Amino acid sequence: MSLSLLLTTGLLAAGLGACSSSPEPGPGPTGVRWVSGANGNYPADVNAWGTFTGREVGVAIVFTNRTDWYNLVSADWPTAAFTRDKFPGELSIAQPPFPKDGNEAACASGAYDGYWRTFGTTLTKFGRADAHVRLGWEFNGGYNYWHVRNAETWKTCFRRTVTAIRSTAPTVKIDWNMNAHTDKLPESGQDVWDAYPGDQYVDVVDSYDFFPASVNEASWDRQCHQRSGLCTVIQFAHDHGKKFAVPEWGLVRSDGGGKDNPFYINKMHETFVANAANLAYEAYYNNSEQGNVLSSLYKPDLSPKSSKRYQELFGTR
């Protein structure tokens, strides 16, 4: 699973103005007018979020088992668990470009094209040919084995993979997914945007916000405008005719996080309201595993103030 999270922004859907520095947000308008969801291994896990919010879950965030090629591209799970009859919402699948024993050079050479055609067939087989595929997500994080070693090689790998998947699942949506607060690529130190593969290979641009926490307007605005910040991502997506997505966001109670931080929940909702016309989807990452981000708002509720605020803004209560 991904270590993600905490996202920031405040651009407008039309002109995409700068992030505002307003007083601490009050209650404001509530409700959700966009595709919103949560993570889970099975529909029951994701639908529990609907019990918490009092509304249907619009998107499920899932991760493949990345131990080998079979589990990456051929295995029934998780796609078979999320067929339309079992979960009618959208599906977003996190996929590395190769398993642990692979590498970007072999990928760029075309050695893996056949595997990715198989993955497109698997998506089609289970009625999910239009899924979002977060290919090589958090590629700028050195903690991921698929992180960028050479930007040109990695981009070639990404392009070949997309082309192969589209050959058997032509309606698939490809997310190019950086980790916020990491402006430089690992090893090379190049700018994170040097890994962008080109508009024809990307349908949705994503971003993460992991560390440090956004606890006030100053930190929110500063982080949002980093090279890897979400304000920058939204502007780029708008300029390139793309939508943006926030596939994982949430509080962090582990070291470096903002703990029980309803300010952050307020800002996220404010951001989504301002950018709803250009938002593909967003999903809260609800996690209580030791060693992870400990973001859970529901079963268990680790941050009571933030949980209440989330329900007020994103739920029906």
Side-chain angles (χ1 to χ4, degrees):
M1 298 291 270
S2 156
L3 256 189
S4 356
L5 306 356
L6 302 176
L7 284 114
T8 72
T9 139
L11 298 181
L12 309 194
L16 289 167
C19 293
S20 62
S21 292
S22 57
E24 183 156 338
T30 61
V32 170
R33 306 191 308 273
W34 52 83
V35 178
S36 180
N39 58 298
N41 290 332
Y42 294 96
D45 303 330
V46 178
N47 289 332
W49 194 250
T51 301
F52 169 59
T53 61
R55 57 173 170 77
E56 290 187 2
V57 180
V59 60
I61 306 300
V62 300
F63 301 79
T64 55
N65 181 331
R66 36 195 186 266
T67 54
D68 53 42
W69 278 114
Y70 173 78
N71 282 287
L72 274 185
V73 303
S74 302
D76 289 357
W77 188 87
T79 315
F82 287 89
T83 54
R84 295 282 181 186
D85 60 323
K86 297 173 184 174
F87 181 77
E90 295 189 33
L91 187 64
S92 178
I93 306 172
Q95 273 285 34
F98 38 79
K100 290 183 177 180
D101 61 354
N103 64 80
E104 65 188 27
C107 176
S109 75
Y112 305 151
D113 290 1
Y115 292 115
W116 292 113
R117 286 191 289 270
T118 296
F119 180 61
T121 301
T122 300
L123 293 176
T124 302
K125 173 183 176 182
F126 295 112
R128 289 295 185 177
D130 62 346
H132 287 269
V133 175
R134 296 163 54 205
L135 182 61
W137 82 104
E138 298 182 51
F139 58 84
N140 56 329
Y143 48 84
N144 286 326
Y145 71 79
W146 59 87
H147 71 260
V148 178
R149 268 76 173 177
N150 178 285
E152 293 305 315
T153 304
W154 198 89
K155 286 189 290 187
T156 301
C157 166
F158 193 100
R159 293 165 184 154
R160 292 202 71 114
T161 301
V162 171
T163 300
I165 297 172
R166 284 176 174 168
S167 71
T168 50
T171 59
V172 71
K173 295 182 282 288
I174 302 296
D175 293 18
W176 182 74
N177 202 163
M178 72 172 66
N179 181 34
H181 301 171
T182 308
D183 293 348
K184 302 293 185 180
L185 296 175
E187 301 186 26
S188 71
Q190 290 176 265
D191 186 88
V192 63
W193 293 94
D194 287 341
Y196 187 65
D199 288 351
Q200 65 269 42
Y201 299 99
V202 175
D203 298 304
V204 178
V205 179
D206 303 348
S207 180
Y208 291 93
D209 185 7
F210 172 50
F211 174 86
S214 296
V215 295
N216 53 42
E217 291 290 344
S219 59
W220 176 275
D221 290 347
R222 181 175 61 253
Q223 292 161 175
C224 194
H225 289 287
Q226 287 185 226
R227 290 291 291 160
S228 56
L230 201 57
C231 286
T232 305
V233 168
I234 292 177
Q235 184 69 61
F236 181 91
H238 176 268
D239 292 348
H240 288 250
K242 308 293 180 183
K243 290 195 172 187
F244 75 100
V246 184
E248 297 180 45
W249 69 275
L251 302 172
V252 174
R253 292 197 63 87
S254 55
D255 291 344
K259 314 302 181 185
D260 192 351
N261 183 15
F263 170 83
Y264 179 73
I265 303 294
N266 275 305
K267 292 300 291 185
M268 290 305 298
H269 185 264
E270 179 184 300
T271 293
F272 298 145
V273 169
N275 296 281
N278 203 37
L279 174 60
Y281 66 96
E282 55 85 11
Y284 190 89
Y285 187 70
N286 198 55
N287 174 273
S288 60
E289 297 172 358
Q290 291 300 316
N292 209 305
V293 292
L294 303 178
S295 57
S296 183
L297 299 180
Y298 179 66
K299 290 189 176 180
D301 178 1
L302 300 180
S303 298
K305 294 178 182 178
S306 298
S307 178
K308 179 181 178 182
R309 193 64 184 128
Y310 186 95
Q311 285 185 307
E312 290 171 346
L313 292 173
F314 290 83
T316 58
R317 326 187 227 294

